[in-house]
Amino acid sequence: QVQLVESGGGLVQAGDSLRLSCSASGRTSSVGAMAWFRQAPGKEREFVAAVTWTGRTTYYADSVKGRFTVSRDNAKNTVYLQMNSLKAEDTAVYYCAHDAVGISTQEIGYQFWGQGTQVTVSS
């Protein structure tokens, strides 16, 4: 089993920055990937960003490219999402997820999920 705990969410203004953290414990896979998804009120959960265990490969949703950066610190078993130039449409609950097999932009590929952290961006 893998346990994921997100932190760093909050209320910010448009244009501000925020960094989310996801701490992993348990049997994380050294060949898998970590990802961030988000779900806005009344909408389906959507992919945001993902990074492989090595950190060499990253994927981003088009809506966040150039503004968000995903990274990981394997020594701390933690993945980060640096969010810059935040917009009101970034408001959502952000979830961290772990895929033990590989990297994907699809929810179905991720076996373990955190409880989510709320990010609210006021315009």
Side-chain angles (χ1 to χ4, degrees):
Q1 275 293 67
V2 174
Q3 293 78 43
L4 303 173
V5 179
E6 302 96 335
S7 61
L11 172 62
V12 297
Q13 293 187 336
D16 285 352
S17 298
L18 205 58
R19 188 177 83 158
L20 305 182
S21 300
C22 173
S23 177
S25 60
R27 289 190 166 187
T28 54
S29 169
S30 61
V31 297
M34 298 289 288
W36 291 93
F37 288 78
R38 67 186 181 186
Q39 187 167 22
K43 295 187 177 181
E44 293 187 351
R45 190 154 56 184
E46 64 176 2
F47 171 78
V48 176
V51 60
T52 54
W53 180 260
T54 62
R56 292 190 189 125
T57 301
T58 55
Y59 292 164
Y60 292 96
D62 287 343
S63 59
V64 306
K65 277 181 184 175
R67 299 189 299 122
F68 290 11
T69 302
V70 63
S71 62
R72 64 189 303 161
D73 183 338
N74 290 339
K76 296 181 178 179
N77 239 7
T78 299
V79 63
Y80 304 98
L81 185 67
Q82 177 66 43
M83 305 185 293
N84 298 329
S85 302
L86 281 162
K87 305 175 182 180
E89 50 263 45
D90 294 318
T91 294
V93 176
Y94 284 71
Y95 298 90
C96 174
H98 173 56
D99 183 336
V101 177
I103 190 169
S104 169
T105 62
Q106 304 300 311
E107 275 193 55
I108 195 171
Y110 292 85
Q111 300 85 32
F112 304 99
W113 292 81
Q115 82 290 348
T117 185
Q118 176 71 47
V119 172
T120 303
V121 184
S122 64
S123 56

